[in-house]
Short mmCIF file of all heavy atoms in Angstrom, two decimals:
data_model
loop_
_atom_site.label_atom_id
_atom_site.label_comp_id
_atom_site.label_asym_id
_atom_site.label_seq_id
_atom_site.Cartn_x
_atom_site.Cartn_y
_atom_site.Cartn_z
N LEU A 1331 59.28 -195.99 -73.24
CA LEU A 1331 59.84 -196.69 -74.39
C LEU A 1331 59.88 -195.74 -75.61
O LEU A 1331 58.77 -195.23 -76.01
CB LEU A 1331 59.05 -197.94 -74.75
CG LEU A 1331 59.21 -198.67 -76.11
CD1 LEU A 1331 60.71 -199.14 -76.25
CD2 LEU A 1331 58.36 -199.83 -76.29
N PHE A 1332 61.01 -195.50 -76.23
CA PHE A 1332 61.11 -194.62 -77.36
C PHE A 1332 60.95 -195.44 -78.63
O PHE A 1332 61.85 -196.26 -79.00
CB PHE A 1332 62.43 -193.91 -77.41
CG PHE A 1332 62.43 -192.60 -76.51
CD1 PHE A 1332 61.57 -192.52 -75.47
CD2 PHE A 1332 63.30 -191.55 -76.84
CE1 PHE A 1332 61.64 -191.35 -74.63
CE2 PHE A 1332 63.27 -190.38 -76.11
CZ PHE A 1332 62.47 -190.27 -75.00
N ASP A 1333 59.81 -195.25 -79.22
CA ASP A 1333 59.40 -196.00 -80.44
C ASP A 1333 59.48 -195.10 -81.69
O ASP A 1333 58.64 -194.18 -81.72
CB ASP A 1333 57.91 -196.49 -80.10
CG ASP A 1333 57.47 -197.62 -81.02
OD1 ASP A 1333 57.90 -197.64 -82.19
OD2 ASP A 1333 56.60 -198.42 -80.58
N VAL A 1334 60.32 -195.45 -82.53
CA VAL A 1334 60.79 -194.47 -83.56
C VAL A 1334 60.43 -194.92 -85.04
O VAL A 1334 60.71 -196.04 -85.39
CB VAL A 1334 62.25 -194.17 -83.43
CG1 VAL A 1334 62.74 -193.28 -84.62
CG2 VAL A 1334 62.54 -193.50 -82.09
N GLN A 1335 59.79 -194.03 -85.74
CA GLN A 1335 59.75 -194.20 -87.22
C GLN A 1335 60.08 -192.82 -87.87
O GLN A 1335 59.41 -191.89 -87.89
CB GLN A 1335 58.33 -194.58 -87.69
CG GLN A 1335 58.21 -194.99 -89.13
CD GLN A 1335 56.92 -195.45 -89.58
OE1 GLN A 1335 55.92 -195.18 -88.92
NE2 GLN A 1335 56.89 -196.22 -90.65
N VAL A 1336 61.37 -192.84 -88.40
CA VAL A 1336 61.84 -191.58 -89.11
C VAL A 1336 62.24 -191.90 -90.46
O VAL A 1336 63.16 -192.63 -90.68
CB VAL A 1336 62.99 -190.91 -88.21
CG1 VAL A 1336 62.41 -190.21 -87.08
CG2 VAL A 1336 64.02 -191.94 -87.79
N LYS A 1337 61.66 -191.33 -91.41
CA LYS A 1337 61.86 -191.62 -92.89
C LYS A 1337 61.03 -190.79 -93.67
O LYS A 1337 60.00 -190.08 -93.13
CB LYS A 1337 61.72 -193.05 -93.18
CG LYS A 1337 60.39 -193.70 -92.84
CD LYS A 1337 60.33 -195.14 -93.14
CE LYS A 1337 61.12 -195.96 -92.10
NZ LYS A 1337 62.32 -196.52 -92.68
N ARG A 1338 61.23 -190.77 -95.03
CA ARG A 1338 60.37 -189.96 -95.92
C ARG A 1338 58.86 -190.40 -95.71
O ARG A 1338 58.59 -191.60 -95.56
CB ARG A 1338 60.81 -190.26 -97.37
CG ARG A 1338 60.04 -189.56 -98.38
CD ARG A 1338 60.86 -189.58 -99.71
NE ARG A 1338 61.24 -190.95 -100.04
CZ ARG A 1338 60.70 -191.76 -100.81
NH1 ARG A 1338 59.55 -191.41 -101.35
NH2 ARG A 1338 61.21 -192.96 -101.10
N ILE A 1339 57.99 -189.55 -95.69
CA ILE A 1339 56.54 -189.87 -95.55
C ILE A 1339 56.06 -190.29 -96.92
O ILE A 1339 56.02 -189.62 -97.90
CB ILE A 1339 55.76 -188.68 -95.12
CG1 ILE A 1339 56.36 -188.04 -93.82
CG2 ILE A 1339 54.29 -189.09 -94.78
CD1 ILE A 1339 56.44 -188.97 -92.67
N HIS A 1340 55.62 -191.64 -96.86
CA HIS A 1340 55.07 -192.19 -98.12
C HIS A 1340 54.11 -193.35 -97.68
O HIS A 1340 54.36 -193.97 -96.66
CB HIS A 1340 56.24 -192.82 -98.95
CG HIS A 1340 55.85 -193.08 -100.40
ND1 HIS A 1340 55.02 -194.06 -100.79
CD2 HIS A 1340 56.15 -192.51 -101.56
CE1 HIS A 1340 54.82 -194.11 -102.07
NE2 HIS A 1340 55.52 -193.14 -102.58
N GLU A 1341 53.13 -193.51 -98.46
CA GLU A 1341 52.12 -194.55 -98.14
C GLU A 1341 52.73 -195.95 -98.07
O GLU A 1341 52.32 -196.71 -97.13
CB GLU A 1341 50.94 -194.55 -99.16
CG GLU A 1341 50.12 -193.32 -99.08
CD GLU A 1341 49.12 -193.23 -100.26
OE1 GLU A 1341 49.54 -192.75 -101.31
OE2 GLU A 1341 47.93 -193.71 -100.09
N TYR A 1342 53.69 -196.33 -98.82
CA TYR A 1342 54.19 -197.66 -98.80
C TYR A 1342 55.09 -197.88 -97.55
O TYR A 1342 55.26 -199.01 -97.10
CB TYR A 1342 54.97 -197.97 -100.02
CG TYR A 1342 56.45 -197.68 -100.10
CD1 TYR A 1342 57.39 -198.44 -99.55
CD2 TYR A 1342 56.89 -196.49 -100.79
CE1 TYR A 1342 58.74 -198.15 -99.58
CE2 TYR A 1342 58.24 -196.16 -100.81
CZ TYR A 1342 59.15 -197.01 -100.27
OH TYR A 1342 60.44 -196.65 -100.31
N LYS A 1343 55.62 -196.80 -96.98
CA LYS A 1343 56.35 -196.91 -95.71
C LYS A 1343 55.47 -197.16 -94.49
O LYS A 1343 55.89 -197.43 -93.42
CB LYS A 1343 57.25 -195.72 -95.52
CG LYS A 1343 58.40 -195.68 -96.62
CD LYS A 1343 59.23 -194.45 -96.52
CE LYS A 1343 60.30 -194.33 -97.65
NZ LYS A 1343 61.39 -195.32 -97.53
N ARG A 1344 54.20 -196.81 -94.69
CA ARG A 1344 53.12 -197.17 -93.77
C ARG A 1344 53.26 -196.50 -92.41
O ARG A 1344 53.05 -197.17 -91.36
CB ARG A 1344 52.99 -198.63 -93.68
CG ARG A 1344 52.64 -199.34 -95.02
CD ARG A 1344 51.92 -200.67 -94.89
NE ARG A 1344 52.76 -201.64 -94.20
CZ ARG A 1344 52.44 -202.95 -94.16
NH1 ARG A 1344 51.38 -203.37 -94.69
NH2 ARG A 1344 53.28 -203.85 -93.60
N GLN A 1345 53.41 -195.23 -92.41
CA GLN A 1345 53.27 -194.46 -91.14
C GLN A 1345 51.83 -194.60 -90.64
O GLN A 1345 51.65 -194.54 -89.41
CB GLN A 1345 53.63 -192.96 -91.35
CG GLN A 1345 55.10 -192.60 -91.48
CD GLN A 1345 55.64 -192.74 -92.90
OE1 GLN A 1345 54.92 -193.11 -93.88
NE2 GLN A 1345 56.96 -192.41 -93.10
N LEU A 1346 50.85 -194.86 -91.55
CA LEU A 1346 49.53 -194.91 -91.13
C LEU A 1346 49.36 -196.25 -90.29
O LEU A 1346 48.60 -196.28 -89.25
CB LEU A 1346 48.59 -195.15 -92.35
CG LEU A 1346 47.94 -193.86 -92.87
CD1 LEU A 1346 47.10 -194.20 -94.10
CD2 LEU A 1346 47.05 -193.12 -91.82
#
Side-chain angles (χ1 to χ4, degrees):
L1331 167 58
F1332 275 29
D1333 195 330
V1334 173
Q1335 188 177 22
V1336 283
K1337 54 183 74 252
R1338 182 165 49 93
I1339 307 297
H1340 197 292
E1341 289 170 275
Y1342 88 82
K1343 294 178 184 289
R1344 298 203 295 189
Q1345 284 89 357
L1346 267 179

